[in-house]
Amino acid sequence: MNKEDIIILKKIGLTTYEATAYITLASLISATAVKISENSQIPRSKIYDVLKSLAEKDFIEIESGRPLIYNIKPPVTTINKQKEKLTSELDKLANKLNFIYENEIKQVPAPVWKITGVNNIIEKEVDIIKRSKHTISMRIGFLFDGEDEILLKELKKKSDSVNINILASKECYGNTKINIIEKFKNEGIEIYPADIPIVKMMISDAKELFHTYTKFSEDKKSIMPNSAIGVWNQYEDVASNYQANFKKQFKKMKKK
């Protein structure tokens, strides 16, 4: 019996005994408790409670008679139902905790954080985009590997409800050259070329600001990812001033 299968089944709510009995019954299709106990090596003193619990969780059916017969339900249907249930519960929990997070984080004094590591920086950018309600403004002078696809995916989701404005270098370098203007245009995003230094800036709803810095190679065409630092600033006065300056520059570049 594959231990990894048992671990996966435990993640969707089964105990070790339940997962073991379920996998065993998958090979028997239909069997008595005694037979399942023998094949799974679950003690007879435990097997009846284990099978009863599996039935209550809708993984198997119990056929009346003497002795009782235990029938497995189609695993694909059963596991998909459990997966959908778990996904729904996780979505509800995420929304609930995010509501608490958004309300409480405003109360945190000195709301400036340093974030290190490329993955952590990109995760914070995605988090800010997801929480934006009105505007997202960005100045993009470089991109990490794969970051263009991640940002585009999240920005497209927001493009119907949020005003997205971007100024970007004509050619953004990470470890490869990317024409981000061509890639992002016609996606519900207003993006124009500008002379952007090798930094990234994101402003959300004129309330929070995120700067990203990284060292580059001497030819300015290759990122040194271990040097990447993000600065997340939630001082609304600061974010609002940056937004006002961004608007002026964006309007100027749009006219060009």
Side-chain angles (χ1 to χ4, degrees):
M1 189 171 295
N2 193 324
K3 289 184 178 179
E4 290 182 0
D5 293 341
I6 292 175
I7 291 170
I8 292 170
L9 287 170
K10 287 175 70 175
K11 288 180 180 179
I12 60 171
L14 299 189
T15 65
T16 300
Y17 273 162
E18 287 169 354
T20 303
Y22 183 66
I23 293 170
T24 300
L25 190 54
S27 63
L28 297 172
I29 310 299
S30 180
T32 63
V34 172
K35 182 69 173 178
I36 297 167
S37 173
E38 290 172 351
N39 284 38
S40 65
Q41 297 185 338
I42 296 172
R44 289 194 187 184
S45 59
K46 301 283 187 181
I47 194 65
Y48 292 97
D49 287 340
V50 169
L51 293 172
K52 181 181 177 182
S53 180
L54 279 174
E56 289 172 350
K57 293 178 180 179
D58 208 28
F59 279 79
I60 67 173
E61 292 177 329
I62 302 175
E63 185 180 329
S64 60
R66 290 191 178 184
L68 294 173
I69 301 296
Y70 298 87
N71 303 311
I72 192 167
K73 290 187 173 183
V76 170
T77 303
T78 301
I79 292 174
N80 279 340
K81 282 182 181 179
Q82 296 298 320
K83 183 170 66 175
E84 289 169 5
K85 180 183 176 183
L86 180 59
T87 300
S88 176
E89 290 173 350
L90 286 173
D91 286 343
K92 288 178 182 177
L93 178 61
N95 290 333
K96 180 181 178 180
L97 294 179
N98 198 56
F99 177 79
I100 296 170
Y101 167 79
E102 288 184 3
N103 281 279
E104 292 302 321
I105 200 165
K106 296 173 184 177
Q107 313 303 321
V108 179
V112 177
W113 289 266
K114 182 177 78 172
I115 298 172
T116 58
V118 171
N119 290 338
N120 292 332
I121 288 169
I122 294 175
E123 282 181 10
K124 178 50 63 180
E125 289 173 337
V126 170
D127 172 53
I128 292 171
I129 291 170
K130 286 181 176 179
R131 289 187 290 103
S132 296
K133 293 179 173 62
H134 306 292
T135 61
I136 297 171
S137 304
M138 295 187 70
R139 297 174 75 220
I140 301 176
F142 73 92
L143 289 165
F144 298 114
D145 277 355
E147 185 181 10
D148 55 327
E149 295 292 345
I150 295 170
L151 290 179
L152 182 58
K153 178 183 176 182
E154 296 302 328
L155 290 170
K156 283 171 69 175
K157 292 177 184 177
K158 283 286 186 176
S159 61
D160 289 337
S161 59
V162 173
N163 186 24
I164 303 169
N165 296 322
I166 300 175
L167 294 174
S169 296
K170 290 182 180 179
E171 292 179 344
C172 286
Y173 285 90
N175 289 325
T176 56
K177 183 170 71 174
I178 301 168
N179 189 330
I180 190 173
I181 295 168
E182 286 297 317
K183 191 162 192 173
F184 278 38
K185 72 179 184 180
N186 302 322
E187 298 289 355
I189 300 166
E190 279 203 80
I191 183 167
Y192 298 100
D195 186 15
I196 305 293
I198 304 176
V199 296
K200 268 190 296 155
M201 180 191 75
M202 178 185 292
I203 310 165
S204 171
D205 297 333
K207 292 182 178 180
E208 58 183 310
L209 172 69
F210 191 56
H211 274 110
T212 308
Y213 310 91
T214 187
K215 290 182 180 179
F216 269 71
S217 59
E218 290 184 8
D219 61 4
K220 305 296 182 184
K221 294 182 179 181
S222 181
I223 285 175
M224 299 170 68
N226 290 338
S227 68
I229 295 175
V231 180
W232 181 31
N233 189 324
Q234 287 200 303
Y235 280 112
E236 290 191 20
D237 288 347
V238 176
S240 180
N241 285 334
Y242 269 90
Q243 179 67 16
N245 290 330
F246 177 87
K247 277 186 176 180
K248 291 178 184 177
Q249 187 184 14
F250 187 81
K251 186 175 181 181
K252 180 179 177 181
M253 300 313 298
K254 185 175 181 178
K255 284 182 178 179
K256 286 187 178 181

